[in-house]
Amino acid sequence: MAASSDRIAPAWSAGDRAKTAAKLMLGWVAFLWILEVVDVSSGHALDTYGIEPRRPGELLDIVPASFIHFGFGHVASNSVPLLVFGFLAALGGIRRFAAVAALIIVVDGLGVWLVSPAGSNTAGASGLVFGLFGYLLVRGFVDRRVLDIGAGLVIGAIWGSSILLGISPTNTSVSWQGHLFGLAAGVAAAFVFRRPARGRSTVPPARPLIP
């Protein structure tokens, strides 16, 4: 007889994945709002964690900058797309999502640090938002998954025009550099963290033991 520890653990259901993804993103967005409350209460002391380009010490702010915002209107504008895009991306697995988000945040922050105008201070989750948009847009084609292709086409149809406006150099009201690098990083993440093609593994699937 096989011991209970030898039994194969059941895979997560779609409902379990959805609940976990929803909790993660609701917590993420709530954390952004809490930080902005702290920022406003402290006289915007957290704004110093934004990225000022080409200053070596500012490299330490690449990650914190993606969580800091310049006012409640700023964090509000990022909240809904971050919830939607993050939820859809996290449905593919929390570890994969964490790796994708980390890549986007780091690449986007480095891009801002390198090319943003001197004297500017860039912060906010919009780089991650644009990155997740790019990731979702191409993930289905890279992984060859019909449902993911459909999801990417839907978000492209809904948010595509806003994304194009956000990466336009003529739009001086936002950091188009941060948006552009975030978008590019998200597309790259779809390839870097692509799922292995089915049937390539040489390891046979585990089978339950028959008592």
Side-chain angles (χ1 to χ4, degrees):
M1 294 180 63
S4 59
S5 59
D6 293 331
R7 294 174 184 172
I8 299 174
W12 273 20
S13 67
D16 292 330
R17 291 196 299 270
K19 289 178 182 178
T20 302
K23 289 178 181 178
L24 172 65
M25 295 317 301
L26 286 171
W28 193 310
V29 171
F31 181 59
L32 299 184
W33 280 90
I34 291 171
L35 284 178
E36 189 54 33
V37 170
V38 172
D39 186 40
V40 171
S41 300
S42 63
H44 300 284
L46 299 184
D47 289 356
T48 59
Y49 289 98
I51 302 170
E52 297 181 34
R54 293 170 297 282
R55 295 179 58 186
E58 292 295 304
L59 289 170
L60 297 175
D61 292 336
I62 284 176
V63 173
S66 64
F67 295 89
I68 304 302
H69 291 80
F70 301 134
F72 291 114
H74 188 196
V75 70
S77 67
N78 285 327
S79 293
V80 172
L82 182 59
L83 272 174
V84 175
F85 299 166
F87 172 76
L88 292 174
L91 285 176
I94 299 302
R95 286 185 295 181
R96 189 186 188 197
F97 169 77
V100 167
L103 177 64
I104 293 170
I105 288 172
V106 171
V107 172
D108 179 58
L110 286 172
V112 167
W113 184 84
L114 284 170
V115 306
S116 286
S120 61
N121 185 20
T122 302
S126 57
L128 178 59
V129 168
F130 275 67
L132 291 175
F133 175 88
Y135 172 74
L136 292 171
L137 196 64
V138 304
R139 178 185 64 176
F141 295 99
V142 173
D143 291 343
R144 298 181 181 180
R145 291 173 178 258
V146 175
L147 288 178
D148 289 342
I149 291 174
L153 293 175
V154 169
I155 68 166
I158 296 174
W159 277 281
S161 58
S162 299
I163 295 297
L164 289 175
L165 179 62
I167 62 175
S168 172
T170 61
N171 188 357
T172 58
S173 62
V174 297
S175 172
W176 64 266
Q177 298 92 342
H179 295 171
L180 181 60
F181 277 99
L183 182 65
V187 172
F191 289 91
V192 173
F193 301 109
R194 68 188 305 172
R195 293 187 183 277
R198 295 176 182 175
R200 289 183 180 174
S201 177
T202 58
V203 179
R207 297 178 181 177
L209 298 179
I210 300 175

